[in-house]
Amino acid sequence: MAPVAPRSGDAVFANIERVNAELFTLTYGAIVRQLLTDLEEVEEVNKQLDQMGYNIGIRLIDEFLAKSNISRCVDFKETAEVIAKVGFKMFLGVSASVTNWEADGTCCSLVLEDNPLVDFVELPDTCQGLYYCNILSGVIRGALEMVSMKTEVTWVRDMLRGDDAYELRVKLLKQVPEEYPYKDDE
Amino acid sequence: MAAIYSLFIINKSGGLIFYKDYGSAGRMDTNDSLRLASLWHSMHAISQQLSPTMGCSGIELLEADTFDLHCFQSLTGTKFFVVCEPGTQHMDDLLKIIYELYTDYVLKNPFYEMEMPIRCELFDLNLSQAIQKDRVALLGR
């Protein structure tokens, strides 16, 4: 049987059940606000958001693969493109652009012009160290880990901090080959 | 008619996390199903290593005299396989649908723990509907 053609982010987004964007944005705001109250330290909130994102990512990847019919990517470049064009589109309704490749192809930037998470957000002076969207970096890290890529994801630019766009730096640390607990006879 | 005999889902370390049988043929007890699941996991792994082609993703179809076994492995390592009547068609599509149901009703359940046995009513319900639909479609063909 011929493999099913991969679907575009738009096609999947159109078919998926959605909720009101405001409900989503406000719910996320409420979570961040609650974390700030509970944990008090901005640094701790960043960490917690990242961890929550990671937990989402390790489950989300399967939905992504199941609904987009994406097959194995040949290299990290293709992976980054797929995240930016299909992944973001499918789950957030926006697409990102991939830029600033390092020469060895292991590190790139995902630039988001539009970010539905921050629609009503203004960072107060007391939370200047907060990476409000840190959940996104966790999602990407978790999702890629499930398809055997260890990555490090950090924010470079953040519009809430006065930059002109959102920029996520994704660095491929190592590709863990699928391994079995036995070794070939040595 | 029972085209599908049974359905297995195994996690990436080879543990059986879901088993269901349909109809009377090939019914087995819990121990046997666990054994069969880990056996298949190993055979699948060995087939990848033995294959002369590079980048082989393991056995997809095993044809025997009395049954066919169709296997689908997701890129994250979870394997879904059905045992069915020889020559049953469109099992790949059914496995894709089951994979989607798994992502929707198992992974999205906040109380489901990853890699653990699946005990989700919504999954069971939607799964039996999908299988039912598949049977109806088979009769129509």
Side-chain angles (χ1 to χ4, degrees):
Chain A
M1 193 188 81
V4 198
R7 295 163 74 188
S8 73
D10 284 298
V12 185
F13 186 66
N15 282 325
I16 234 164
E17 215 174 317
R18 276 160 289 168
V19 293
N20 183 298
E22 238 171 74
L23 174 67
F24 171 67
T25 309
L26 295 178
T27 309
Y28 183 67
I31 291 173
V32 176
R33 199 65 239 284
Q34 189 62 44
L35 285 176
L36 279 165
T37 314
D38 291 350
L39 301 170
E40 290 164 5
E41 299 281 331
V42 168
E43 239 345 278
E44 284 302 308
V45 176
N46 286 340
K47 242 187 254 168
Q48 189 62 33
L49 283 174
D50 183 73
Q51 183 60 41
M52 287 164 65
Y54 176 83
N55 292 340
I56 296 175
I58 56 175
R59 290 168 179 239
L60 198 68
I61 178 73
D62 270 308
E63 179 176 10
F64 173 72
L65 294 170
K67 297 203 172 146
S68 65
N69 293 327
I70 296 273
S71 51
R72 194 177 291 272
C73 291
V74 290
D75 54 11
F76 189 56
K77 283 206 160 133
E78 191 185 345
T79 310
E81 282 295 332
V82 166
I83 296 172
K85 297 279 148 16
V86 189
F88 273 101
K89 187 78 208 175
M90 185 169 155
F91 293 111
L92 280 183
V94 295
S95 53
S97 46
V98 187
T99 52
N100 297 338
W101 275 103
E102 231 157 66
D104 59 356
T106 60
C107 191
C108 69
S109 288
L110 299 176
V111 179
L112 278 171
E113 305 283 339
D114 188 19
N115 182 349
L117 283 178
V118 297
D119 278 351
F120 312 106
V121 182
E122 295 169 31
L123 272 195
D125 293 339
T126 48
C127 320
Q128 284 307 318
L130 179 70
Y131 288 106
Y132 186 81
C133 302
N134 221 22
I135 201 157
L136 294 184
S137 52
V139 170
I140 295 176
R141 184 168 64 89
L144 288 180
E145 191 170 310
M146 294 306 277
V147 281
S148 40
M149 279 176 263
K150 282 260 187 218
T151 48
E152 188 180 80
V153 187
T154 45
W155 289 96
V156 186
R157 282 189 287 165
D158 188 332
M159 272 160 109
L160 292 177
R161 295 167 162 216
D163 298 318
D164 52 346
Y166 292 91
E167 180 175 344
L168 270 167
R169 196 88 186 132
V170 184
K171 187 172 169 47
L172 178 67
L173 297 176
K174 64 171 177 182
Q175 217 142 0
V176 196
E178 284 145 76
E179 53 201 76
Y180 295 103
Y182 53 77
K183 292 223 167 74
D184 288 335
D185 12 30
E186 283 168 336
Chain B
M1 70 181 258
I4 298 162
Y5 297 151
S6 48
L7 164 71
F8 295 74
I9 303 178
I10 47 187
N11 67 17
K12 57 168 156 256
S13 27
L16 181 69
I17 55 173
F18 187 84
Y19 166 67
K20 196 161 176 65
D21 55 37
Y22 300 91
S24 52
R27 175 165 290 174
M28 58 182 98
D29 64 29
T30 320
N31 276 334
D32 284 341
S33 62
L34 285 167
R35 201 171 301 127
L36 195 138
S38 46
L39 192 66
W40 180 254
H41 179 74
S42 320
M43 276 176 57
H44 196 270
I46 293 169
S47 76
Q48 269 172 323
Q49 305 246 319
L50 285 181
S51 166
T53 52
M54 283 296 286
C56 168
S57 56
I59 314 178
E60 286 170 5
L61 169 61
L62 175 80
E63 285 177 302
D65 288 342
T66 51
F67 67 90
D68 279 3
L69 191 156
H70 293 258
C71 178
F72 165 76
Q73 183 177 29
S74 76
L75 289 180
T76 50
T78 312
K79 278 190 267 298
F80 300 78
F81 63 96
V82 287
V83 181
C84 56
E85 226 168 29
T88 314
Q89 299 287 302
H90 305 284
M91 283 298 115
D92 318 7
D93 300 336
L94 180 73
L95 287 169
K96 279 295 290 187
I97 292 169
I98 295 172
Y99 182 34
E100 277 187 43
L101 291 176
Y102 166 77
T103 64
D104 275 340
Y105 298 102
V106 177
L107 293 180
K108 282 186 196 167
N109 179 351
F111 297 103
Y112 170 71
E113 275 184 61
M114 298 275 286
E115 318 289 332
M116 296 303 276
I118 299 168
R119 279 190 209 91
C120 306
E121 261 178 55
L122 275 176
F123 179 66
D124 289 340
L125 191 73
N126 284 279
L127 182 68
S128 42
Q129 276 172 2
I131 303 260
Q132 196 62 40
K133 228 196 234 157
D134 198 73
R135 272 190 200 158
V136 173
L138 269 177
L139 287 174
R141 273 181 211 127

